[in-house]
Each structure stands twice: as C-alpha cells, then as structure tokens.
Amino acid sequence: MPSVDADLPTPHFTFDADAPGACVAGIRPYRCGSYRLEAEAVSGRFVVHNYGHGGAGITLSWGCAAKVQDLVRARVAASHETEAAVLGSGVMGLTAATLLLDLGLTVTIYADRMFADTTSHKAGGQWALSLVEYHGNESELKDILAKAYNTFKSSIGQNFGVYERPNYASKVSHNLEEVLRIAPGLIPRRKDLPRMPFHGHHNAGHLYQTLLVEPPTFLKRLADDLNTRGVRFVQCKFADQAHLFSTVTQKVIVNCTGYGAKKLWNDPAMHAIRGDLAMLPPQPSLQYLYSQGGYMFPRTDHVVIGGTFECSENEQPDKAECKKLVRAIAMNFGLAPPMAIPENYIQHPRISEWLKQRRLAPADTPCTPPCTPPP
Ligand SMILES: Cc1cc2nc3c(=O)[nH]c(=O)nc-3n(C[C@H](O)[C@H](O)[C@H](O)COP(=O)(O)OP(=O)(O)OC[C@H]3O[C@@H](n4cnc5c(N)ncnc54)[C@H](O)[C@@H]3O)c2cc1C
C-alpha cells in the first residue's frame, strides 16, 4: 500500500465533449439472479453459455473462461470433437477462445461486432465486482475470482494493459468488500483513512489495492494472439437460433453474446444498464483510481470518468451527461461549483439501495432495475 501522508496529484479537468471519442456510452449486460455459466444441449449441439456479467465482465473474464474450458474439456474427452465455435468477440469470447485453443481445439469466432466495437472495449477497467448478481454461486464465484485475479496479476508488465493501482474511495466499496468476503486473502484488506489525500478534500475515506485492466490494450492483445494462433474471425449477426444453427457447423458452441443473449437466447432476465463515460486526455502523473460520487480511472490512453446507471439500450453518447460526470469529480477537488449527486449515479442512495437489496434478496426475487425518472 502506498503512503497516504501527502496529497496526491490533482487531475486537470479540462474537457472538450465535442472532441472525437470524448464521450462514450455502453450497455452493461446485467442478468437478474446471476450471470449464466452452464452447458445445455440444443438442436444436437453442446452449448456453453457465458454471459450476463453486468459491470464486471472484464473482472470475471479469465475465471469464467476457465470454467468454460472445464465444461468443454469434459465434453470433448468423451465425444472427441476437435472444433469449437465461440459466439462473440468481447472479453468473454476472446478469453474463452484463448483457453479453448489450449485444449488443442480449432476455434472459430463468430461475432456481429469485432473487439474494438464491443461493450468490452468501452469498459472503464477496474477489477471489481460491480453491478453483477451471483445468487447461489458463491463457491463457484470464489474460484472464478481467484483464477481471474491471479491471471491478470501474473500478466502485469507483459503488454496486456494490466496494472496494480490503489483505489481511494470516499465510501466503503461494496464491489471490493464482496471480493474480500467471498475470497478472503485474494486482495489486500482495505485501509481506513482519516482524510482522502487530495486537494480540496476534508472527508474520511478508504484505500483498496486493486487492478486496472485497460480494455483497448487487453482486447487487442488477446485478438492479436488469437490471430497468430490461427483462430478465424467471422463477422456475422445471428437473427435467431435457427439462423445460428444453420450457419455454425461446429457441435461445440460457446455463447458469449453479452446483452445480445437477451434476444438470441430469449432470456428475460437480461437487462440493459447503460453507463456513460467521459474520456479526458491521459495524465501520466495520476497513478491512482478514485471514487466519490462518480469514479475516475486514469489509464494510459485516457483519464476515464464514469459512474452513471440508466435502464436504456441507447448507445448514443450524451455530451451533457459526460460534462456532468466531469463536473461531479472536479467539484470534489474544489474545481467546480457544488452540485448534488444526480439521481442516475450508481452512488446515488436510490441506486445503491436497490443494488444492496438485490444482493441480499433470494435468487428468485423478481427484479426490475430502477429506471431514471423522466426529466
Ligand atoms: C460504462 C461501462 C463501464 C464498465 N466498466 C467496467 C469495469 O470497470 N470493470 C469490469 O470488469 N467491467 C466493466 N464493464 C462491464 C463490461 O464491459 C461487460 O461486463 C463486458 O464487456 C461483457 O463482455 P461480453 O463479452 O459478455 O459482451 P460484449 O463485449 O458486449 O460482447 C458481445 C459480443 O457478442 C456479439 N453478439 C451479440 N449478439 C450477437 C448476435 N445475435 N450475433 C452475432 N454476434 C452477437 C457482439 O457483437 C460482441 O462481439 C463496464 C461496462 C460499461 C458499459
């Protein structure tokens, strides 16, 4: 853990919302009850589902891919199939494909969007259990967290875009406390701070040590490695399962279609939870993650500011929302006028209370995410 005596560098909040790529919106593939990670037989195929990881898909990716690998290994040991199809070229598809290659299978990836256009590419990249349900799966989740964390950690310094970072949070982070509870000893315990060590801050806070995974670097590296290892990428949007089974010939199919599974697999538990991100120019002096109101993840490509929650499938960036996100963080540093935490921020009491209730609710509790009231 770093020393917390002196104030850490203050960010520059100069933000041009009109600059290309300055504003991004993505859909978290939220699945009520739990993410889906299981095999089923459909139309004579062995289908392994791996979708519905909400705001934690990057975090869980390597661990879920290892579970997919276990399921497929057991299947091909008996059936002697030599090929597998992976649906989806986001983080779940690319990590699963990587571990299927390690089984000696010939892998083809079918996807509507290639990696640079996926939700995965837009993610902020903190390693945390954010906005995901896992009712009834805690012992499996413990394995997934350990495999994912250890794989990311061992890839630090090897051009996967993974870094270890302190995270300064004004409130206890349930996303990281859950990791401490489910997988004790995996990440260092939090340190409570009498004061957040930043200009303009007088409030207490908490220090966690976690990982930052930069999705553009990570996904490109995975895709490059898969290309080098002979994986074929096929651009294709499956309208429905009939289209899928008439196009894909492989008997083993791994379904990593993220929010697309709602329609393709008729899954009513899937909900679109939009998040907006403001992408500021990079500031290499900022070597910490920060969370108060919204969050700020300084990466090598951008300083990413986010933290909104909306029930919407709309991926059109909203410049006003991005400006508000920047202002909300700048305000904490005394660099913007005061404002209340907006209703659609994850840290707004309305949303955090709903998330807390979902965590405590039994698996089969009906769930409808709280939608942003009309303006
Ligand atoms: C604003 C925001 C911030 C986030 N921050 C973080 C974070 O800090 N940490 C973290 O761990 N996670 C974060 N996430 C969550 C993370 O981005 C997702 O959980 C993750 O991207 C899901 O990966 P995926 O591979 O399942 O889906 P996707 O990346 O959406 O990929 C799905 C793939 O399936 C394909 N597909 C879907 N339907 C079809 C079809 N019918 N036919 C053919 N192809 C199809 C798509 O084209 C695509 O290739 C964030 C998400 C958002 C929106």
Side-chain angles (χ1 to χ4, degrees), residues 35-333:
Y35 56 86
R36 189 167 185 204
L37 182 50
E38 62 183 0
E40 70 168 339
V42 193
S43 300
R45 315 297 178 95
F46 179 76
V47 179
V48 179
H49 298 289
N50 183 25
Y51 66 84
H53 303 88
I58 305 290
T59 303
L60 298 172
S61 57
W62 282 124
C64 292
K67 293 282 171 191
V68 168
Q69 187 191 43
D70 289 346
L71 291 165
V72 173
R73 184 193 288 112
R75 158 77 184 200
V76 299
S79 67
H80 306 295
E81 276 127 0
T82 57
E83 295 181 21
V86 172
L87 314 182
S89 181
V91 71
M92 291 301 164
L94 298 186
T95 50
T98 301
L99 297 195
L100 293 182
L101 278 183
D102 294 347
L103 293 178
L105 297 173
T106 301
V107 177
T108 305
I109 297 180
Y110 298 85
D112 175 21
R113 299 182 187 187
M114 290 304 151
F115 79 88
D117 296 318
T118 61
T119 300
S120 301
H121 200 267
K122 297 175 182 173
Q126 182 185 202
W127 193 89
L129 265 181
S130 171
L131 268 166
V132 62
E133 293 196 25
Y134 36 85
H135 291 299
N137 283 347
E138 285 197 11
S139 96
E140 176 190 79
L141 182 60
K142 183 179 177 185
D143 294 346
I144 289 173
L145 287 169
K147 175 73 183 174
Y149 183 80
N150 290 327
T151 306
F152 278 123
K153 195 154 180 197
S154 66
S155 68
I156 290 174
Q158 295 182 49
N159 301 321
F160 280 89
V162 184
Y163 306 88
E164 194 150 37
R165 288 281 183 268
N167 179 343
Y168 293 87
S170 63
K171 292 192 179 146
V172 165
S173 162
H174 291 292
N175 300 333
L176 291 166
E177 290 294 319
E178 280 293 88
V179 175
L180 290 165
R181 182 180 69 78
I182 295 167
L186 187 62
I187 61 171
R189 296 202 70 75
R190 76 160 192 269
K191 186 169 174 181
D192 296 330
L193 308 175
R195 176 183 162 258
M196 292 274 275
F198 302 102
H199 173 79
H201 289 62
H202 306 287
N203 52 313
H206 310 279
L207 172 56
Y208 295 86
Q209 195 69 15
T210 185
L211 302 177
L212 174 65
V213 181
E214 301 195 354
T217 307
F218 180 53
L219 296 175
K220 180 171 187 319
R221 172 64 189 267
L222 291 176
D224 286 350
D225 288 354
L226 290 168
N227 266 313
T228 305
R229 295 175 74 186
V231 168
R232 204 160 59 93
F233 288 80
V234 178
Q235 200 278 326
C236 177
K237 182 179 173 83
F238 300 112
D240 51 30
Q241 287 181 33
H243 181 201
L244 164 66
F245 293 128
S246 63
T247 308
V248 172
T249 54
Q250 290 87 345
K251 286 275 190 324
V252 174
I253 299 176
V254 179
N255 173 23
C256 304
T257 48
Y259 186 64
K262 182 183 178 79
K263 184 160 176 278
L264 191 59
W265 238 266
N266 306 317
D267 188 340
M270 290 297 293
H271 291 271
I273 301 198
R274 172 186 162 124
D276 292 81
L277 295 172
M279 312 295 270
L280 281 64
Q283 299 176 42
S285 67
L286 308 181
Q287 298 282 311
Y288 56 82
L289 309 186
Y290 172 95
S291 157
Q292 180 168 329
Y295 59 71
M296 179 176 69
F297 302 158
R299 305 193 318 212
T300 54
D301 58 343
H302 293 285
V303 172
V304 179
I305 296 183
T308 63
F309 178 116
E310 274 187 73
C311 303
S312 168
E313 291 185 346
N314 181 359
E315 290 183 278
Q316 281 307 309
D318 179 336
K319 290 179 189 172
E321 203 62 74
C322 287
K323 285 183 193 164
K324 210 193 297 170
L325 277 164
V326 177
R327 183 182 152 186
I329 299 287
M331 163 187 84
N332 300 334
F333 288 80

